Amino acid sequence: MEQWRVEPMLDFRRIEMSDFPALRKMYEKYGNWSCDCTICGTYMWRDYLDIRISLEEEKLIVYQQLDGKHLFYIPLMEDRIAGIREIVAYMKEQGEECYFYPVANEELSLFEEAGYRIETERDEGWNDYVYDITALANMKGKKYHNHKNHINKFNALYENVELLDIRDVEPAEYLQFLDDYVKSEHKKATIAKEENVKAKEVLSDLEAYGVVGYVLKVDGKIVGLEVGEILGDYYYSHIEKADKTYNGVYSKLVQLVSQDLQEKVKYMNREEDLNEPGLRRSKRGYKPIGYIEKNQVKILD
């Protein structure tokens, strides 16, 4: 992917692990609660999307490259309108069109306030799915009928089931589980391959990423893995893998993880479905309470 740099107004560079504390602070303070505005959401995809940052005290500007466009996050700073104007001026100096993504619905008014005319694009596949964590922990009512059936089957078929904190499990165990999962899935899409590579990267350095994680075992064997991060009232599910030969394993994993998290957060963000039919059915089946709708914004004038 072609490397791109703009100067002298803003200075962009690759993300380093040493940036994590500052990024986490800025995402919690100014982020739009989308999965993009998380440590893993940024760092896991830094190569695939050629993500770069400009980081100063109380000011973070992020861009990613996709489909030949440079897409800027809404500036993470107190005066976001000033930040938008700085980016637009910066792109004009480069002779480039100016795009912003991901822009939440409530952030669209910032462009009008900044004095710009815009064109927006929204794709349903970009939406983040948001769930009530207590609802997932309990799965009560008719709307969860299918998942309750899956969980009941799991409970009837398997004994000696335990959900463990990932830090209480030997890394070699869950890294081997991930390798076995990747081999069993046979996914050839570039984005799927990149996700698997970066998932292993995260699992190899849990402390640096500041993630929480769980391992589901049956008779001492790993059958499920869940890793994510907490920002504010949200838990972001970044890595979720399970052995589908175990009947109902995904429903059981989601319920047990949610039960452990319900005293820590209010919501679970299970990220996008990217218009994949199977993912869409799965994510809708857990009955989201809402979506974070993300827009791509083009500055017209």
Side-chain angles (χ1 to χ4, degrees):
M1 185 176 288
E2 181 184 356
Q3 187 171 335
W4 182 75
R5 183 179 175 87
V6 277
E7 53 188 12
M9 295 168 59
L10 293 170
D11 185 22
F12 285 93
R13 60 175 175 81
R14 297 292 297 263
I15 307 166
E16 303 292 339
M17 282 189 170
S18 58
D19 295 318
F20 286 2
L23 264 60
R24 185 172 287 108
K25 171 189 169 185
M26 300 301 281
Y27 285 146
E28 284 194 319
K29 192 169 183 179
Y30 300 111
N32 59 19
W33 304 111
S34 72
C35 64
D36 306 82
C37 290
T38 62
I39 299 301
C40 284
T42 305
Y43 200 67
M44 282 180 69
W45 297 102
R46 68 192 184 281
D47 296 323
Y48 185 81
L49 296 171
D50 191 30
I51 295 175
R52 305 296 172 103
I53 63 170
S54 175
L55 178 62
E56 303 173 17
E57 186 68 27
E58 290 298 316
K59 178 182 178 181
L60 170 63
I61 296 177
V62 182
Y63 84 77
Q64 56 186 312
Q65 185 168 236
L66 186 64
D67 298 330
K69 300 174 184 175
H70 297 90
L71 306 169
F72 289 86
Y73 288 23
I74 294 288
L76 293 117
M77 55 195 290
E78 187 169 353
D79 191 345
R80 295 190 293 173
I81 291 173
I84 289 171
R85 287 174 177 156
E86 184 176 13
I87 290 169
V88 173
Y90 174 62
M91 293 301 285
K92 282 183 178 178
E93 185 173 285
Q94 301 299 311
E96 299 272 357
E97 292 184 315
C98 188
Y99 294 89
F100 289 83
Y101 177 87
V103 181
N105 289 341
E106 60 271 19
E107 294 174 320
L108 288 171
S109 62
L110 292 171
F111 296 96
E112 183 180 354
E113 292 177 51
Y116 297 112
R117 195 166 59 88
I118 62 173
E119 179 179 278
T120 61
E121 179 185 349
R122 184 189 303 157
D123 189 314
E124 197 174 50
W126 302 340
N127 292 347
D128 282 9
Y129 287 73
V130 178
Y131 305 82
D132 180 282
I133 196 76
T134 301
L136 290 181
N138 296 324
M139 292 199 185
K140 291 181 178 178
K142 290 183 180 179
K143 65 181 181 179
Y144 290 109
H145 177 74
N146 287 338
H147 284 295
K148 290 295 288 185
N149 281 343
H150 293 320
I151 291 167
N152 290 337
K153 286 180 182 178
F154 185 94
N155 292 340
L157 288 170
Y158 312 112
E159 298 180 355
N160 302 318
V161 176
E162 54 182 347
L163 184 75
L164 302 172
D165 187 299
I166 196 169
R167 288 169 174 79
D168 295 330
V169 179
E170 287 296 321
E173 270 193 89
Y174 52 76
L175 288 170
Q176 185 61 56
F177 172 79
L178 180 64
D179 285 343
D180 293 342
Y181 173 88
V182 171
K183 290 175 186 176
S184 69
E185 288 295 300
H186 302 295
K187 290 187 176 181
K188 296 182 180 180
T190 303
I191 192 169
K193 290 180 179 179
E194 182 70 8
E195 180 188 16
N196 290 328
V197 168
K198 290 302 191 281
K200 190 166 187 177
E201 184 181 88
V202 173
L203 290 173
S204 299
D205 201 346
L206 299 172
E207 298 308 320
Y209 283 89
V211 293
V212 296
Y214 303 90
V215 166
L216 180 64
K217 285 190 173 185
V218 173
D219 293 325
K221 177 187 176 183
I222 297 178
V223 300
L225 176 69
E226 167 72 37
V227 176
E229 64 184 290
I230 294 174
L231 285 177
D233 288 332
Y234 284 80
Y235 169 78
Y236 295 82
S237 176
H238 293 306
I239 302 168
E240 183 186 75
K241 313 291 183 187
D243 184 345
K244 289 185 284 190
T245 63
Y246 285 77
N247 203 320
V249 65
Y250 273 105
S251 298
K252 184 69 175 179
L253 178 63
V254 170
Q255 184 185 50
L256 290 179
V257 168
S258 299
Q259 286 173 355
D260 187 77
L261 287 168
Q262 65 180 329
E263 298 301 320
K264 304 167 188 173
V265 297
K266 294 180 181 178
Y267 310 107
M268 179 182 286
N269 182 321
R270 291 178 59 79
E271 307 191 349
E272 314 104 319
D273 64 36
L274 301 176
N275 292 314
E276 291 187 21
L279 268 179
R280 180 162 292 176
R281 284 193 300 272
S282 173
K283 291 178 187 288
R284 288 182 176 178
Y286 286 107
K287 308 305 177 185
I289 58 170
Y291 303 90
I292 296 174
E293 296 181 332
K294 296 182 283 190
N295 302 272
Q296 183 182 122
V297 170
K298 178 181 179 180
I299 301 296
L300 299 178
D301 54 44

